[in-house]
C-alpha cells in the first residue's frame, strides 16, 4: 500500500505566535449565506495557519481522516498539555460565545479575596439580581436568601445560572468591575479575539470570542483545583427557599454538559472532565470540553454547528476528540495554544485553589487516588493523573506550565468507553 500523502505544507514559525490582526468586533460577523465564512482577517496568534479560512490539518502516515459531516462554524482540537493544535477550522472567527464565556468569568474571579473562602455566605439582595437578560438560564437563586460561594459556583457550572453569575459579580464589586477584570484577564491570556460585554455570555452587541480563545480560557481555568472540581461535577444539591422555623430544603441540580451526564441520543464520553456548554439565539450551541485517554489530554471547542441533529455540538465534539486521540503523534501540528503573557517571563498567577488546596496537594494523593466533590450531596468522582515531583514544585510556585505535564484533569468520570 502506498504511503499516505501529506496534505498541507508549512510548519508554523515561532515568530508568528505573537502576530495578530486587530479588528473591531463588528467586522467579523456571521454572514447569512448557506456556507457562512469569516468576513474579515483572522488573528495569527498561535501560528499563521490558524488565520486561514477553512480546515487546517496535516496528516502523516497512518493518521485517520477527519470526521465527516462536521458542521461547526468554528472548531479546534488541541493537546491540553503541550498546547499543540492538531486540527482547526476557522479557530479565530470572532463569534458570540454564549455561556462558554463563563469559563473566563470563573478563571478571572474565582480566587479573588472578595470570594474567599468558598464557605463564605451572602444574603442576596434585589440589586444583586438586577440586569439579568430575559430568558436567561437560571439555577434558582432567590432574593433575601443566603447562599455560600460554593453553592453559587455549582450554580454557574452545573446549570449555567446567570443569576449565580450576577450574585458573584456583585460580591466581587459589581458587573462593570467584573467585565473589566475579565477583559484584562483575556488580554493576559493572549485571547485577543474576545470582547467582553456581559459576565454571563448573554447575547450583547459587540460581545464575541473564538474557539481558540475559549480553549485558552479552559486551559487556564483547569489549572485551578476548584475550577476542575466544579466543571467535572455531574450533580449536586442546591439550597432551596429558607422558611422560618423549618429546616432548609435542597433540590438536585444536574450538569447540562451532556458529554458528562448523557442525554437522549448522547452517550457520556469516557474520560470527560468538563468544561462548559452554552446556547443563545445568536451564538447557537457552543461547547468546550476536556478529556483524557491513555495519558493523553485533549481540549476541543465547537461553535455553532448548523446540523439539525439533536445535540449536534456534543456529537461533533465527541467525534473530534475520538479523532484527536487516534491522530495524536501522527499529525503535524498546525499551530499552538500560546501561554499567558506572564508565563513568558516565568511569573504567572498561582494555581492554588480557592480552598487553599494547591495542585501539588492534589498530586500527593498519587495517580490512583480518587477525589470527590467538596459539596455534600454532589457527585463527580474520578481519577487523578500522575504528576512528577519536579512539575509539582513548579505548580506550587504558581508557574503556568507550558510543554509540561500539569494536573488536568483532577476529576475524570469513570464512564463506559464509547
Amino acid at each position: 500500500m502506498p504511503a499516505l500523502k501529506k496534505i498541507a505544507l508549512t510548519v508554523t514559525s515561532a515568530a508568528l505566535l505573537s502576530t495578530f490582526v486587530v479588528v473591531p468586533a463588528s467586522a467579523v460577523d456571521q454572514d447569512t449565506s448557506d456556507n457562512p465564512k469569516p468576513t474579515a482577517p483572522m488573528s495569527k496568534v498561535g501560528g499563521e495557519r490558524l488565520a486561514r479560512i477553512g480546515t487546517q490539518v496535516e496528516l502523516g502516515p497512518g493518521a485517520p481522516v477527519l470526521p465527516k459531516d462536521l458542521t461547526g462554524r468554528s472548531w479546534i482540537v488541541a493537546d491540553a498539555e503541550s498546547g499543540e493544535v492538531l486540527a482547526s477550522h476557522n479557530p479565530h472567527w470572532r463569534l458570540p460565545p454564549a455561556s462558554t464565556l463563563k469559563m473566563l468569568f470563573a478563571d478571572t474571579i474565582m480566587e479573588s479575596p472578595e470570594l474567599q473562602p468558598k464557605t463564605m455566605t451572602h444574603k442576596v439582595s434585589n440589586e444583586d439580581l438586577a440586569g439579568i437578560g430575559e430568558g436567561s438560564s437560571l439555577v434558582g437563586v432567590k432574593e433575601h436568601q443566603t447562599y455560600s460561594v460554593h453553592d453559587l459556583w455549582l450554580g454557574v457550572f452545573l446549570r449555567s445560572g446567570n443569576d449565580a453569575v450576577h450574585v458573584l459579580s456583585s460580591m466581587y464589586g459589581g458587573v462593570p468591575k467584573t467585565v473589566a477584570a475579565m477583559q484584562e484577564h483575556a488580554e493576559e491570556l493572549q485571547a485577543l479575539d474576545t470582547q467582553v460585554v456581559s459576565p454571563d455570555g448573554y447575547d450583547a452587541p459587540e460581545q464575541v470570542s473564538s474557539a481558540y480563545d475559549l480553549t485558552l480560557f479552559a486551559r487556564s481555568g483547569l489549572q485551578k483545583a476548584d475550577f476542575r472540581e466544579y466543571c467535572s461535577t455531574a450533580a449536586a444539591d442546591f439550597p432551596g427557599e429558607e422558611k422560618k422555623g423549618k429546616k432548609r430544603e435542597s433540590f438536585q441540580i444536574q450538569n447540562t454538559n451532556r458529554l458528562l451526564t448523557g442525554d437522549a441520543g448522547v452517550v457520556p464520553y469516557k474520560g470527560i472532565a468538563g468544561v462548559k456548554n452554552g446556547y443563545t439565539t445568536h451564538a447557537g450551541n457552543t461547547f468546550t470540553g476536556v478529556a483524557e485517554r491513555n495519558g493523553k489530554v485533549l481540549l476541543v471547542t465547537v461553535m455553532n454547528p448548523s446540523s439539525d441533529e439533536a445535540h449536534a455540538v456534543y456529537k461533533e465534539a465527541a467525534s473530534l476528540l475520538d479523532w484527536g486521540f487516534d491522530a495524536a503523534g501522527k499529525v503535524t501540528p498546525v499551530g499552538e495554544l500560546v501561554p499567558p503573557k506572564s508565563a513568558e517571563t516565568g511569573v504567572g498567577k498561582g494555581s492554588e485553589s480557592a480552598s487553599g488546596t494547591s495542585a501539588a496537594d492534589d498530586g500527593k494523593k498519587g495517580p490512583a487516588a480518587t477525589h470527590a466533590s467538596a459539596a455534600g450531596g454532589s457527585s463527580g468522582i474520578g481519577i487523578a493523573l500522575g504528576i512528577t515531583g519536579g512539575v509539582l514544585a513548579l505548580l506550587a510556585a504558581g508557574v503556568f506550565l507550558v510543554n509540561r505535564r500539569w494536573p488536568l484533569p483532577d476529576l475524570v468520570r469513570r464512564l463506559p468507553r464509547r
Side-chain angles (χ1 to χ4, degrees):
M1 180 181 294
L4 292 176
K5 182 179 179 181
K6 283 191 175 183
I7 56 177
L9 298 173
T10 58
V11 178
T12 303
S13 168
L16 292 170
L17 297 180
S18 60
T19 305
F20 59 92
V21 178
V22 178
V23 293
S26 58
V28 186
D29 208 349
Q30 301 179 48
D31 63 39
T32 57
S33 66
D34 293 335
N35 184 27
K37 295 179 181 179
T39 56
M42 291 191 293
S43 167
K44 295 182 181 179
V45 172
E48 185 272 336
R49 293 279 297 276
L50 303 184
R52 300 180 188 176
I53 293 176
T55 301
Q56 300 299 314
V57 65
E58 187 168 344
L59 303 178
V65 297
L66 282 165
K68 296 180 180 179
D69 303 322
L70 293 173
T71 67
R73 292 189 173 183
S74 174
W75 54 258
I76 189 171
V77 186
D79 186 303
E81 294 173 330
S82 70
E84 293 178 344
V85 176
L86 306 184
S88 68
H89 180 79
N90 302 328
H92 281 295
W93 190 356
R94 304 178 81 187
L95 298 167
S99 287
T100 44
L101 193 65
K102 289 182 173 76
M103 294 186 295
L104 175 62
F105 168 74
D107 190 38
T108 300
I109 72 168
M110 181 172 282
E111 296 183 340
S112 65
E114 294 87 347
L115 301 177
Q116 302 301 319
K118 64 182 179 181
T119 55
M120 179 175 64
T121 59
H122 176 76
K123 188 173 183 178
V124 177
S125 68
N126 294 334
E127 291 74 17
D128 292 339
L129 298 176
I132 296 176
E134 183 178 356
S136 287
S137 54
L138 305 172
V139 67
V141 174
K142 302 297 183 183
E143 298 93 337
H144 315 303
Q145 300 294 307
T146 300
Y147 302 88
S148 69
V149 170
H150 177 72
D151 294 330
L152 295 169
W153 282 122
L154 287 171
V156 170
F157 277 92
L158 274 67
R159 297 304 303 175
S160 203
N162 289 4
D163 46 359
V165 169
H166 277 254
V167 174
L168 288 166
S169 296
S170 180
M171 295 173 69
Y172 180 69
V175 168
K177 178 183 175 182
T178 303
V179 167
M182 289 171 65
Q183 189 66 56
E184 181 181 2
H185 188 49
E187 292 168 6
E188 150 66 15
L189 295 176
Q190 302 198 61
L192 304 178
D193 300 322
T194 298
Q195 183 166 323
V196 183
V197 178
S198 67
D200 49 26
Y202 189 83
D203 285 333
E206 305 297 315
Q207 179 153 274
V208 290
S209 190
S210 67
Y212 184 88
D213 284 10
L214 294 175
T215 308
L216 292 182
F217 301 153
R219 192 181 187 217
S220 178
L222 286 162
Q223 299 203 35
K224 296 177 172 65
D226 281 346
F227 187 106
R228 297 194 302 274
E229 174 196 324
Y230 292 126
C231 78
S232 61
T233 297
D237 292 331
F238 193 81
E241 186 176 356
E242 191 170 12
K243 298 180 180 179
K244 188 175 181 180
K246 294 184 179 181
K247 182 180 178 181
R248 189 174 189 179
E249 297 181 350
S250 63
F251 57 93
Q252 189 178 81
I253 56 175
Q254 188 178 56
N255 201 312
T256 55
N257 175 356
R258 299 310 179 199
L259 288 189
L260 187 69
T261 61
D263 195 10
V266 180
V267 178
Y269 193 85
K270 173 65 177 179
I272 195 72
V275 192
K276 192 72 188 74
N277 56 297
Y279 173 81
T280 65
T281 302
H282 294 294
N285 287 288
T286 60
F287 176 73
T288 297
V290 63
E292 180 270 340
R293 185 180 296 176
N294 299 324
K296 176 69 68 175
V297 186
L298 296 182
L299 281 162
V300 63
T301 295
V302 177
M303 300 186 76
N304 199 353
S306 60
S307 172
D308 293 330
E309 184 178 11
H311 303 308
V313 74
Y314 299 113
K315 294 177 181 179
E316 293 188 19
S319 66
L320 283 168
L321 284 170
D322 282 343
W323 174 85
F325 286 122
D326 290 341
K330 303 172 186 175
V331 297
T332 299
V334 295
E336 70 172 301
L337 302 177
V338 295
K341 292 178 181 178
S342 58
E344 296 177 345
T345 62
V347 181
K349 293 184 178 181
S351 58
E352 190 168 276
S353 74
S355 63
T357 303
S358 69
D361 293 330
D362 291 339
K364 290 176 183 176
K365 299 175 184 176
T370 60
H371 178 79
S373 174
S378 62
S379 62
I381 299 173
I383 55 175
L385 295 179
I387 313 295
T388 65
V391 172
L392 288 174
L394 288 172
L395 282 167
V399 178
F400 190 100
L401 297 183
V402 182
N403 298 321
R404 298 175 183 268
R405 293 193 62 80
W406 43 291
L408 170 63
D410 180 47
L411 302 177
V412 181
R413 284 177 52 80
R414 291 175 176 174
L415 299 170
R417 179 75 66 183
R418 291 182 72 253

